Amino acid sequence: MATYIVLLGPPGVGKGTQANRLSQQTGLAHISSGDLFRENIKNQTDLGKLAQTYMSKGDLVPDDVTIAMIKDRLRRPDCAAGAILDGFPRTPAQADALEAMLADFDGRVNVAPVISAPRNVLVERLSDRWTCRESGHIFNMKSNPPKVPGKCDLDGSELYQRDDDRADTVSKRIDIYMEQTTPLITYYRDHGKLVEINGLQSIEQVTQTLLDALKNKS
Ligand code: AMP
């Protein structure tokens, strides 16, 4: 049976970094809804143009559009063994839709780790965050800097600061997480899938805790 991991947590807590590391260690596909939208924006697709109007303000893209995009992505062959979902689901409607999608593949969510950190830490991390334009790989100028300033360690591509990592938008994104996404913590706890993880630990410690959680819940 395929393995599906739903990574929960506010913007800036390290979901992208951890999803990348978990993907390398488990071989499961890393699906980031934010990266999929950004790819569509880069390619100026209709979906990208629509998503941009929401993302630039820090708002969520509507559920129907987001659900259709993820459904399409989960059908690709690299997800045959399962996937690590980073940034999806973000609303109860998306969580219900995910259950239905996985039931179609005869799968289920194995574990839903929620990584937490205080608001001031999130704001500081996001303002120091630089992202690779090509791979989406994430660096932090203070805690996890690239070897060559401004260049991705993986492929040497340019690093940039996301528009929505500006202080005013960051604050709104954290508020939206608190209002719309935290109900999922109860949802996955009630389903026996939730594992709470302290996001103030080192990157390596968080990865280890995630791997342990996966082993226990699989
Ligand atoms: P992220 O890269 O996960 O921080 O997402 C960046 C932005 O993409 C969010 O602020 C939303 O505008 C949009 N987005 C990403 N995932 C979702 C989702 N599951 N539902 C709605 N909007 C999303």
Side-chain angles (χ1 to χ4, degrees):
M1 206 191 222
T3 303
Y4 296 94
I5 305 171
V6 165
L7 266 188
L8 296 169
V13 83
K15 296 189 301 298
T17 300
Q18 294 298 334
N20 258 321
R21 292 169 63 85
L22 274 186
S23 173
Q24 279 162 18
Q25 301 224 18
T26 60
L28 295 172
H30 170 195
I31 300 183
S32 155
S33 43
D35 283 352
L36 290 172
F37 285 131
R38 282 184 287 276
E39 208 175 293
N40 276 279
I41 292 173
K42 196 163 91 184
N43 297 331
Q44 282 293 295
T45 65
D46 289 344
L47 171 62
K49 287 177 195 159
L50 175 81
Q52 190 162 25
T53 61
Y54 295 92
M55 288 171 76
S56 60
K57 289 182 278 179
D59 287 328
L60 293 186
V61 179
D63 281 339
D64 54 344
V65 179
T66 307
I67 289 165
M69 176 179 77
I70 295 292
K71 204 168 183 174
D72 197 49
R73 180 67 187 86
L74 282 174
R75 284 208 188 96
R76 290 206 223 147
D78 64 324
C79 296
I84 302 159
L85 290 157
D86 156 19
F88 181 93
R90 255 177 161 95
T91 63
Q94 291 181 14
D96 287 339
L98 178 63
E99 290 294 306
M101 279 180 227
L102 298 189
D104 272 354
F105 305 140
D106 207 17
R108 62 187 167 88
V109 172
N110 296 70
V111 60
V114 55
I115 312 175
S116 319
R119 192 178 183 108
N120 62 322
V121 173
L122 302 173
V123 172
E124 199 182 311
R125 281 189 190 171
L126 289 170
S127 67
D128 290 332
R129 174 159 86 174
W130 288 73
T131 305
C132 172
R133 233 180 243 295
E134 292 306 318
S135 66
H137 202 80
I138 299 158
F139 296 88
N140 182 288
M141 285 306 160
K142 287 200 185 118
S143 60
N144 181 29
K147 293 195 181 87
V148 178
K151 300 271 181 234
C152 178
D153 287 358
L154 270 72
D155 59 12
S157 300
E158 182 203 2
L159 302 181
Y160 77 109
Q161 277 197 296
R162 276 169 47 179
D163 269 0
D164 60 350
D165 283 347
R166 286 190 322 264
D168 51 338
T169 318
V170 159
S171 185
K172 183 166 171 192
R173 285 164 59 212
I174 297 174
D175 287 345
I176 289 180
Y177 173 80
M178 295 301 174
E179 285 158 24
Q180 305 210 36
T181 310
T182 52
L184 297 189
I185 294 176
T186 312
Y187 178 98
Y188 286 112
R189 186 182 287 122
D190 290 350
H191 286 72
K193 310 288 184 196
L194 194 80
V195 176
E196 295 184 72
I197 296 183
N198 175 2
L200 295 179
Q201 301 175 97
S202 70
I203 292 179
E204 293 76 16
Q205 281 170 326
V206 174
T207 309
Q208 193 52 54
T209 318
L210 285 165
L211 288 169
D212 292 345
L214 182 59
K215 216 188 291 167
N216 292 336
K217 294 269 183 183
S218 284

